[in-house]
Amino acid sequence: MSPFFGQERSYWRAVTACFLVASTFWLLNALNKTYTTRITYPLACRYDEGRFVPVQPLPTEVAVNVTGRGWKLLRRQLLLDVKPAELTLRTSATRYLTSNTLRPALQQAMDGLQFNYLLSDTLWVSLDRLVSRRLPLALSPATDGAALPYDARFEPAEVLFRGPASKVENLPDPYPVHLPQAPAGSTAGDIQVPIGGPELVQTNVQDVRVRLVRRPVVTLPVDVVPELLDAPQGRRFRLSPATVRVRLQFFPEDTARFSPDQVRVQLHYGQFINQDSSLRPFLSEKPPQVRGYLVLTRGVRVRSR
């Protein structure tokens, strides 16, 4: 180490300059070489926004193996003037993108880089048809299934729902409006109630004005023979009890149009565990004028014969 002691400052400046020049030449030489490595490359998925809507977020990048000079790889890592690969999704039936689908778009976008292969087999996408549906409104029953003793006037009377077909087409008709809480005292006033709705579904209004009018409610008990869903062919089952009691609630003028055969109760065989299993019945069909309902029979014992 003795040659380094006692040197003047100009000496150290010269040594530092030599190191900088050497490292610069080394870096330039390294960046001129060709490498094969893994990178993530940006994607831009294009689709007709007037016809389709993504149900899940579309992929924005893809992991690939590429070959290229160090300069090009450095530019990609620093995101300097990087053109994303553009993919056009033409139908909602497309569920995934394979290497053969991605290769032309990637190779065209990768200026100076050679695309070798995808590091994953496929990229999953989820598009759905964009649809609109206008639905009338009705008061939702209480949380215990009991009807609210009110008739309601809504403003607006209908709401336009717009979103993925898989969600919009499954919305109930009429669409239930949930009151924040049961109004106390006089019901002569108006209530502003938010519409809500499933994720990704938009409405033309955020809330509606509800005017409540107190009404009497008639309660009718109905005994229904349950149906056993998805039961194996060729096997017979005994249900105990043989009927399920359901409590239905109507406004008085709606009872005249009611018939017990409009009510269906079902049991899911998939819940059948052993030879003496109890299944929970559920109401699968009811007349539209029903204002509230409750399945009173908590369980039906199923015995395999």
Side-chain angles (χ1 to χ4, degrees):
M1 299 295 292
S2 57
F4 295 98
F5 288 102
Q7 301 293 341
E8 296 180 357
R9 182 175 299 178
S10 59
Y11 171 81
W12 291 111
R13 285 199 295 265
V15 171
T16 302
C18 290
F19 273 110
L20 289 176
V21 172
S23 60
T24 300
F25 277 109
W26 175 87
L27 178 61
L28 293 175
N29 184 57
L31 291 176
N32 279 321
K33 294 182 179 180
T34 300
Y35 301 92
T36 297
T37 185
R38 165 185 174 170
I39 64 172
T40 57
Y41 201 84
L43 294 178
C45 294
R46 311 297 185 193
Y47 60 91
D48 187 347
E49 297 183 1
R51 297 177 55 201
F52 305 110
V53 58
V55 180
Q56 300 291 338
L58 296 174
T60 57
E61 60 182 19
V62 58
V64 295
N65 182 280
V66 297
T67 298
R69 289 188 176 275
W71 289 105
K72 296 293 184 181
L73 295 173
L74 178 62
R75 189 180 68 175
R76 164 64 192 97
Q77 292 301 114
L78 298 178
L79 300 177
L80 298 176
D81 192 25
V82 176
K83 178 184 177 183
E86 295 190 1
L87 303 171
T88 302
L89 307 177
R90 303 186 183 279
T91 172
S92 60
T94 303
R95 292 289 178 260
Y96 56 87
L97 302 172
T98 63
S99 177
N100 291 335
T101 305
L102 293 169
R103 179 179 291 274
L106 286 170
Q107 193 61 68
Q108 182 178 2
M110 290 180 177
D111 182 23
L113 295 178
Q114 177 185 335
F115 168 67
N116 296 326
Y117 56 85
L118 285 179
L119 296 182
S120 59
D121 294 335
T122 56
L123 289 181
W124 297 96
V125 296
S126 182
L127 285 182
D128 200 356
R129 292 183 297 112
L130 181 63
V131 299
S132 298
R133 186 183 179 194
R134 191 176 294 275
L135 292 174
L137 305 176
L139 280 182
S140 175
T143 55
D144 61 355
L148 297 177
Y150 306 102
D151 196 8
R153 304 289 187 270
F154 297 96
E155 185 182 342
E158 296 181 332
V159 171
L160 180 67
F161 294 86
R162 182 176 174 85
S166 58
K167 296 189 176 184
V168 173
E169 292 176 353
N170 288 325
L171 294 175
D173 183 6
Y175 187 79
V177 175
H178 303 273
L179 294 181
Q181 60 183 5
S186 173
T187 59
D190 293 347
I191 303 175
Q192 290 291 124
V193 180
I195 286 296
E199 187 181 5
L200 302 179
V201 176
Q202 299 178 347
T203 57
N204 61 332
V205 293
Q206 296 300 315
D207 51 58
V208 295
R209 178 168 295 178
V210 185
R211 185 175 183 83
L212 300 175
V213 180
R214 182 171 288 277
R215 298 283 306 276
V217 176
V218 177
T219 300
L220 296 179
V222 181
D223 292 325
V224 184
V225 177
E227 304 172 13
L228 188 59
L229 296 178
D230 305 324
Q233 296 290 336
R235 294 182 60 182
R236 302 181 63 184
F237 299 90
R238 179 183 301 168
L239 306 181
S240 178
T243 61
V244 172
R245 172 151 290 197
V246 180
R247 186 184 69 191
L248 302 176
Q249 293 179 314
F250 304 84
F251 289 146
E253 67 272 15
D254 294 332
T255 57
R257 294 178 293 163
F258 169 66
S259 175
D261 58 10
Q262 296 175 307
V263 182
R264 295 178 62 189
V265 173
Q266 295 178 331
L267 307 168
H268 269 307
Y269 179 80
Q271 300 173 354
F272 189 80
I273 300 174
N274 50 49
Q275 297 289 20
D276 191 5
S277 181
S278 180
L279 303 181
R280 185 176 183 86
F282 65 96
L283 189 65
S284 61
E285 187 175 323
K286 66 183 186 299
Q289 63 267 29
V290 168
R291 304 294 173 170
Y293 68 89
L294 181 64
V295 179
L296 299 177
T297 304
R298 296 300 181 184
V300 176
R301 194 172 298 276
V302 180
R303 293 186 176 88
S304 179
R305 296 181 180 177

